[in-house]
Amino acid sequence: MFALTYLIVIFIAALPLMQTILRQRGNSPTITFIHRVYRDLAYIAAALVAILALEAVFRIALQNYWFGDLGQQYRYWFALGLRAIIFAAVFGFGGLFIALNLRAACRPVAIVPRSAPWFGGFVISAVVAFGATALWTPLIGFLGATPSGVADPVFGKDLSFYLLGLPLYEEAVYLAIWIVVLTIAAGAGVGFMLYPRPGQPWRYHSQFPMLIDVGATGHAEDGDVHFLAIPRNIWDSWLRQGMALGALLCLCFGLGRFLARYHLIIDGHSGVVAGASFVDIHFWLPAYAAVITGWIATAIGLAAAACIPSFRRWLVAAPSHWMAPSGAFAAVYLGAAIIPVAVEHLYVGPNQITLEQPYLMRSIAGTRQAYGLVGPTVEEQEFAVSVTPLSRDDLDKNAATLRDARIWDWRALEPQLQQTQGLRPYYTFGSVDIDRYRIDGVERQVMITARELDVGRLPEAAQVWVNLALKYTHGYGAVAVPVNEMDARGNPVLWAHDIPIQAKGDLAVTHGQIYYGMQTHDRVYVRTTEKEFDFPQGDANAESVYGGDSGIALSNLWRKLVVAHEFDGLRLFISGYFTPASRVLIRRNVVDRVERLAPFLTFDHDPYIVADGDHYAYIVDGYTSSANYPYSAAYQGSIGNFRDRNYLRNSVKAVVDAYNGSVTFYVFGTDDPIIKAYRKMLPALFRDRSEMPENLRRHIRYPEDFFTVQAEMYGTYHMTNPTTFYNREDRWEVPHELYRNQEIEVQPYYVMAQLPRAASPEFMLMLPLSVAGKNQMAGWLAGLSDGDNYGKLVAFRFPKGRFVDGPAQIESRINSDSRFSGDLTLWDQHGSRVIRGNLIILPLNDNQLVAIEPVYIEAEQTKIPTLARVVFGQLLPDDRKIEWANTLGEAEALLIGIRPEPSSAQAVMTTDVERLEQARSVFVEMQREYAAGNFVRYGELLGQLEKILTVPLTH
């Protein structure tokens, strides 16, 4: 609808141009013709500007309605005001600067219309200004910056200067360089193309009339055109202008190099020290000063040549006049680059550990501070692994921890739930999240995932506009399972399931509809005359009408026009489904929603759903980061969002209501200068952590992305002795485990565990760490999540000199153990596949350490993993004990030397004949299941046969 209208407008605006061209057809181009073409092109340009202006009005209106729906109109208009100020400043000053220079260059050329330089200058400036509007986010940080009280040890600048000031200064310099370079390029183009000077190597040959003899009349007629020689003063004027611009460019380069000095203490030139090293302080800083002096001297020389005609004529009279100072500058520049490198190799290299020691100490301290690895919320302690084998008393004392020891791997659980709880093809489950809920009066660890609606899974014939936009608007409910319970067939026990939702304890909600989630990427219309599909109900479907207050109301013609422009065009006006009460819900993806509200934050890859009593909500962790923290090493690990950053804080928790779409940002990082600045400038966008409702606060977690970065950096920066650090004598790394027969890095995992000296188990994020290059565990990290302990990081170190198996070593021992390897080989062939789940290292009371790993069998036809065995082992210094069984409880019993109680089937077998008959029956069923490819059931029957045959004979 709008595209066709725009095409018609452009066609009408192009009619004068087509008429001018048709009139001139067959004739040689004249100056009058060229000026008319320029005038007609101006009509088209005016039409394009009008279209762009209308598009901007539509976009602003839609943004205003959307931000207003979230109660954040101030945030939008404040940001828009800053962008408008930036655009106006760059467009005005930059356009004037470029246009004046182009006007001066084009003045002698009569063929160029007088307004063309102005038009061209402001067009170039508009493009640059549009790109510069992205600077509104660093500008907000700059305006809100307050001193942190922490200064760098070299320049004495406050931390806020590096995190919030320096990025804006650098962007401003880059912007100035762009404007000057574009001006020089445009002026050079005019000079080289329109000012041909005989005898010069850059002479441009053209057959088109350039300079015109206007005679006594003062103007040129079509038949009065002929070539003139280029007057020397015109060439001299163009050269003078170029030198002035060159001087300005040199000043910009000098200013850029001045700001680059501060980067010496951010990244520096050393391969050992993060930040300024010995050579940076004593040689690179003076080298930068020399280069800055060179740029300033060059700028002064060019400015003098531009202002003093005699000096300018002397400078260009012979190549030697300008080559000598150019050579001197080149020598300074090369010397500034070569001398520090030579000193590094010839002097510092042989004495590096001595010369760099104070700078290594700065680097270690700065990196630990930048990643939150030091401070009152960080605790480091020894963890001497117990040498005492587990006993029944130990298992009883740790019953609360082992009750929630996770045996379901989220990767194996998702296809299980898709098969049993998908209910309809168009329902889908995204990531499975781990949280804790009060069930039957006890805090239990739970795996939970949302049942969202994916309209792409509707039958092709059902994918019509009414269904996609009006009917199928939301998902319904969540599915939750305890982390370590299963039924008799190896399937998970369900604590929240089905539609309508059947849920236990705090998992119950009043409204199960999910309008905003992780799989919702399209717009939908609610409160129309067409009722929404709510959930399947027998042979029919339950229907509903949206009862929330979210969305943009379609209450008048202008609102409809704004929405129609963005989404469905003419349909909004010809469809009979809409009423003044109708609303459109847009930007329904949780991550997209928070990123649009706070583009200056980076958000965690794993938003998680929470049942808060009335309905569902998503919690998304938000991070502030920077690449400018002094003396901090840049991150180069597995989390792509933070690579090359050297400062990170989890300062914000965003809560998105899955029913009404509201977004609330709670500030948790009170010591973060970046979030302080943004909160100061946008106070209505943020709330204090104390304002978070208790039913949500109970579900906050130590964030996974932040923890992963901390763990990977801690592997190197737990070494605080500069000599040990320099030699990397004790570097740790994230260990490896097996998943689908592939070796992968262990991912952090949430557990309920009791730390040493803690009164009870608590919810935490854990990760073991191994000695670099070995399968030996060196320690582990835990990020705490409960109550006042939230945000605390605990690092445990194992004593040196004792070997404790790492995850990869445990996997290897399972593979090589004859008690397990036969079954693993049998299950991993002929239509089935063994899946080794997340191997969890779990601390118990009295510094005992256990390992738990689920083993699943996945049939190739169904692709549904079923739990077959649970591995349970105790890790001892220089030793280990490993067992497996059908359940965790049975594996625990085997580990302490207790045989599981005989099953009821075994109890009733009183004679050898009955036992033989039972074994024969089970064996026949095993053959049948094996032939059918049902290897999960085959494994269950194999366990039954083993139990039958282990009963002693009765003679």
Side-chain angles (χ1 to χ4, degrees), residues 306-584:
C307 296
I308 305 172
S310 59
F311 179 60
R312 180 169 62 253
R313 287 192 295 271
W314 174 86
L315 191 65
V316 299
S320 59
H321 293 172
W322 55 266
M323 288 181 67
S326 298
F329 176 76
V332 170
Y333 204 96
L334 288 174
I338 293 173
I339 292 174
V341 174
V343 172
E344 177 77 39
H345 284 84
L346 299 177
Y347 174 65
V348 175
N351 306 282
Q352 195 170 53
I353 194 169
T354 302
L355 295 175
E356 301 290 23
Q357 185 165 346
Y359 307 102
L360 279 171
M361 294 177 66
R362 290 179 183 177
S363 177
I364 294 169
T367 301
R368 288 168 64 91
Q369 182 64 43
Y371 291 96
L373 301 176
V374 66
T377 61
V378 180
E379 181 181 355
E380 296 178 284
Q381 56 182 272
E382 292 286 330
F383 188 93
V385 180
S386 173
V387 298
T388 306
L390 282 170
S391 65
R392 169 53 65 186
D393 289 341
D394 293 323
L395 293 178
D396 291 341
K397 282 195 301 183
N398 291 281
T401 297
L402 295 173
R403 176 189 59 201
D404 280 321
R406 182 162 60 85
I407 61 174
W408 283 110
D409 190 303
W410 62 270
R411 295 163 293 194
L413 183 62
E414 191 276 330
Q416 274 265 12
L417 299 181
Q418 187 65 54
Q419 181 71 19
T420 60
Q421 284 294 302
L423 305 181
R424 292 292 188 275
Y426 41 77
Y427 283 131
T428 183
F429 295 98
S431 62
V432 178
D433 301 309
I434 303 173
D435 204 347
R436 65 282 198 203
Y437 286 84
R438 186 163 291 275
I439 306 295
D440 298 330
V442 180
E443 196 86 356
R444 297 295 303 275
Q445 191 175 188
V446 169
M447 303 180 78
I448 184 171
T449 182
R451 184 188 292 107
E452 296 196 53
L453 185 69
D454 184 358
V455 292
R457 296 190 176 195
L458 287 171
E460 188 174 349
Q463 293 192 25
V464 296
W465 183 79
V466 171
N467 282 342
L468 300 180
L470 310 178
K471 195 73 176 177
Y472 291 91
T473 58
H474 58 272
Y476 202 100
V479 178
V481 306
V483 295
N484 69 345
E485 294 187 20
M486 61 181 179
D487 60 22
R489 298 185 64 85
N491 296 320
V493 173
L494 302 176
W495 279 355
H497 55 96
D498 295 341
I499 302 177
I501 305 168
Q502 300 179 41
K504 298 181 66 173
D506 288 349
L507 290 164
V509 296
T510 305
H511 299 96
Q513 294 89 348
I514 298 176
Y515 285 88
Y516 299 86
M518 293 298 297
Q519 308 294 324
T520 48
H521 301 283
D522 52 343
R523 53 80 191 95
V524 293
Y525 298 93
V526 296
R527 295 185 190 171
T528 64
T529 58
E530 178 69 23
K531 288 189 175 180
E532 305 165 42
F533 164 77
D534 201 22
F535 56 82
Q537 195 174 48
D539 295 334
N541 292 326
E543 295 183 325
S544 66
V545 176
Y546 180 61
D549 55 3
S550 179
I552 299 173
L554 305 178
S555 54
N556 56 48
L557 179 62
W558 170 247
R559 285 174 171 262
K560 273 191 175 183
L561 193 64
V562 170
V563 174
H565 169 266
E566 185 72 17
F567 296 108
D568 292 297
L570 203 57
R571 279 196 178 101
L572 265 66
F573 298 97
I574 62 177
S575 173
Y577 294 111
F578 298 102
T579 71
S582 298
R583 291 174 173 264
V584 59

Side-chain angles (χ1 to χ4, degrees), residues 695-856:
N695 60 334
L696 291 175
R697 190 177 175 82
R698 288 169 44 205
H699 295 285
I700 60 175
R701 312 184 308 186
Y702 203 99
E704 189 173 342
D705 284 355
F706 184 49
F707 182 81
T708 300
V709 172
Q710 286 183 308
E712 292 175 353
M713 296 303 295
Y714 189 77
T716 299
Y717 285 88
H718 73 276
M719 297 178 286
T720 55
N721 181 282
T723 303
T724 305
F725 180 90
Y726 176 82
N727 294 314
R728 298 297 198 268
E729 296 176 7
D730 190 25
R731 191 172 65 85
W732 300 350
E733 63 184 11
V734 177
H736 290 78
E737 64 176 346
L738 288 179
Y739 183 74
R740 291 187 179 271
N741 294 326
Q742 293 183 348
E743 194 173 271
I744 63 172
E745 282 193 349
V746 174
Q747 297 182 4
Y749 45 82
Y750 291 99
V751 296
M752 294 285 287
Q754 186 170 347
L755 296 177
R757 299 194 297 274
S760 60
E762 56 187 312
F763 190 69
M764 65 183 70
L765 185 61
M766 273 190 59
L767 183 68
L769 293 170
S770 295
V771 177
K774 297 183 179 181
N775 291 327
Q776 174 185 353
M777 196 147 49
W780 51 280
L781 287 178
L784 309 186
S785 300
D786 286 346
D788 294 336
N789 284 338
Y790 171 76
K792 291 183 179 179
L793 184 69
V794 184
F796 292 94
R797 304 164 178 255
F798 295 165
K800 292 181 173 60
R802 304 299 297 269
F803 185 91
V804 178
D805 285 345
Q809 187 70 16
I810 298 170
E811 300 279 21
S812 177
R813 296 188 187 280
I814 294 172
N815 287 338
S816 61
D817 195 316
S818 59
R819 296 173 298 164
F820 316 136
S821 58
D823 288 339
L824 292 173
T825 302
L826 176 65
W827 295 337
D828 205 22
Q829 59 186 349
H830 302 302
S832 67
R833 178 179 298 175
V834 171
I835 299 177
R836 308 273 281 272
N838 194 188
L839 194 154
I840 294 176
I841 308 295
L842 197 62
L844 302 181
N845 283 327
D846 301 322
N847 284 14
Q848 292 172 319
L849 207 62
V850 298
I852 301 171
E853 181 180 56
V855 179
Y856 307 93

Side-chain angles (χ1 to χ4, degrees), residues 73-271:
Q73 279 182 310
Y74 172 80
R75 143 71 182 89
Y76 174 66
W77 286 105
F78 183 75
L80 184 63
L82 286 181
R83 295 178 71 179
I85 290 171
I86 294 170
F87 182 87
V90 177
F91 178 73
F93 290 106
L96 190 63
F97 179 81
I98 298 173
L100 286 173
N101 279 278
L102 283 180
R103 177 60 180 162
C106 295
R107 185 179 293 112
V109 186
I111 198 172
V112 178
R114 290 184 178 181
S115 59
W118 297 97
F119 178 77
F122 279 100
V123 167
I124 295 172
S125 178
V127 174
V128 176
F130 183 78
T133 57
L135 296 179
W136 75 271
T137 49
L139 180 58
I140 285 183
F142 174 78
L143 295 175
T146 55
S148 67
V150 179
D152 78 85
V154 177
F155 299 106
K157 292 286 188 180
D158 189 84
L159 186 60
S160 60
F161 166 79
Y162 292 96
L163 300 181
L164 299 165
L166 185 59
L168 185 67
Y169 296 144
E170 290 177 324
E171 292 292 343
V173 172
Y174 296 151
L175 185 62
I177 290 175
W178 265 107
I179 292 175
V180 176
V181 167
L182 289 173
T183 305
I184 292 174
V190 170
F192 285 114
M193 294 181 66
L194 303 185
Y195 293 1
R197 186 180 182 189
Q200 296 297 330
W202 50 76
R203 180 182 177 184
Y204 179 85
H205 299 279
S206 174
Q207 299 302 318
F208 201 80
M210 303 299 173
L211 300 179
I212 313 300
D213 181 10
V214 299
T217 61
H219 61 276
E221 301 296 340
D222 291 348
D224 206 19
V225 177
H226 56 277
F227 293 99
L228 288 179
I230 305 296
R232 186 175 186 85
N233 66 316
I234 294 178
W235 179 265
D236 190 64
S237 175
W238 176 76
L239 190 60
R240 181 179 67 249
Q241 182 183 355
M243 289 179 170
L245 290 172
L248 190 58
L249 183 62
C250 289
L251 286 177
C252 291
F253 284 147
L255 183 56
R257 183 52 63 101
F258 177 80
L259 294 177
R261 294 162 60 249
Y262 297 109
H263 276 276
L264 289 176
I265 67 168
I266 296 170
D267 35 39
H269 293 85
S270 172

